[in-house]
Amino acid sequence: MTAMDSPPPLSQGHPRRWLILGVILLAQLTVLLDNTVLNVAIPSLTRELDASSADVQWMISAYSLVQSGLLLTAGSAADRYGRRRLLIAGLAVFGVGSLAAGLSQTSGQLIAARAGMGVGGALLMTTTLAVVVQIFDDSERVKAIGLWSTVNSLGFAAGPLIGGVMLDHFWWGAIFLINIPVALIGLWAVARMVPESRTRLGDRPDLVGAVLSTIGMTGVVFAIISGPEHGWTSGRVLAPATVGVLVMAGFVLWELRVPHPMLDMHFFRNQRFVGAVAGAILVAFGMGGSLFLLTQHLQFVLGYEALEAGVRTAPLAATVVLLNLTGLGARLVPRLGTPATIAAGMSLLAAGLAMIALLSGGADGSYAGVFAGLVVMGAGIALAMPAMANAIMSAIPREKAGVGAGINGTLAEFGNGLGVAVLGAVLNARFFAVASVSAASLPVALAAAGSADERREITDAFASGLATSQLVGATAVFLGGMLAAALLRRAERTATAGPGDVDPAAAEPAAVAERQGGATKTL
């Protein structure tokens, strides 16, 4: 192996790394905005495109469905064919998809354009984090990933706000066309500044693994998206869920037998990796499920309009942004260690969920308790998310950075969907146990209410269900955080043990990569 074929030493970072980070975060922000920006345009789309409820559902879901299904495949392709090359491809596909979406004349055209944008989004979401891992050394990587996490939270919160502002001044297509100048600037900047890096492992790409992972993840995510609307026991949900689970099982079996797998299953024998994975799922579980239910509480119980409700969930993202920009998490990780930082963050996230449950005051409550809970949740996420993302990426060989980013993104999607499913089921069970209604949902029950007293009974029942579900989420997040921290602490003790005490499972991923003779080529 020549010096040209070796990755740069971990003690060195790229000389223009912070400028490069700014470029790729701009591209990432655009992708994240489109996860939520369409929500406020639903009335306009329904009116101007004569879209049905099913059309609107697919307009929203096509983007996240395609993106989620392709994350692992996109990450593997970035490792093999070049992370900068796939970043450029992602920007180009995303820009073309945005142009097609903005100029769509029918619901079918917009759905197809959103699916195309999802392909570009999958490429961008995996390559941005993979590039961060390549250009930052160990001493600065946590801070860089903290900024990367900040953009995740900012994109989540700013989407509805930016969409609302755009719709006040322009027609609905403008919310997509605004992506085009950003994509063009990103293409120019990435081509000029981002260094190329890629890995060549084996003679052939794992095409079978790519197909299986894409089909399997698409089936699972489709079931998660469809569950709240169609019911978790309906054939429309159970069929894709069954197909997805069976295909993912086939994917695991295939990856265990091929010499150069897309996703090395031995990673899951690494306690550091498993601990970070568990924590990442549960952070997304708590945040996604809580906000899904909280927006309903703000609208149906406290009476806010959709955009007003979106504004009132912003303190969570604002807290994450402010704390990560100050570098709090990056400073705490070296001082407290990754396990303690994650335990503290998950405890704060659980405390915030409990505060929303106990201080929101039910149907007679005010926004003050919700605000306090969101701020505490934001503080917990600001501590836990960068530490866990760094733990995941650190547990995977650098030449597999794209796959690691794909895993991280897939976990976030899975955790969000799981949170919506589980906490939504808890809320519904409590709601129907307390309220004497036969309606299928809260909006239907409120519409059918015959008197103020009946409406009051329904909102009280919903508030009770919300409190119960938030407490269940808080318990799950806290216990999961403690488990993740314990696994990470045990892995660290194993890593620092004497040569004769090293756990073979913890060292397996590195050993596999060494046996395969993988090398990262940086141009």
Side-chain angles (χ1 to χ4, degrees), residues 73 104 175 330 387 445 492:
T73 300
S104 296
I175 63 178
E492 288 185 355

Side-chain angles (χ1 to χ4, degrees), residues 202-299:
D203 298 326
R204 297 179 182 178
D206 183 11
L207 297 179
V208 174
V211 171
L212 290 175
S213 70
T214 301
I215 295 174
M217 284 305 305
T218 300
V220 171
V221 174
F222 178 81
I224 290 174
I225 291 174
S226 303
E229 180 181 2
H230 298 287
W232 297 103
T233 59
S234 68
R236 188 167 179 175
V237 174
L238 290 178
T242 301
V243 171
V245 170
L246 291 176
V247 173
M248 287 304 295
F251 169 73
V252 171
L253 294 174
W254 174 261
E255 296 299 283
L256 287 171
R257 58 173 290 185
V258 294
H260 301 288
M262 182 177 79
L263 174 59
D264 192 338
M265 291 298 156
H266 291 94
F267 291 155
F268 292 93
R269 296 175 60 188
N270 184 327
Q271 292 177 357
R272 180 179 177 85
F273 179 77
V274 172
V277 162
I281 290 175
L282 286 166
V283 166
F285 173 94
M287 184 171 65
S290 171
L291 291 181
F292 170 75
L293 301 175
L294 184 59
T295 52
Q296 296 182 59
H297 179 76
L298 291 170
Q299 292 180 70

Side-chain angles (χ1 to χ4, degrees), residues 150-166:
T150 298
V151 171
N152 282 332
S153 300
L154 184 61
F156 180 85
L161 303 181
I162 292 177
V165 171
M166 295 294 293

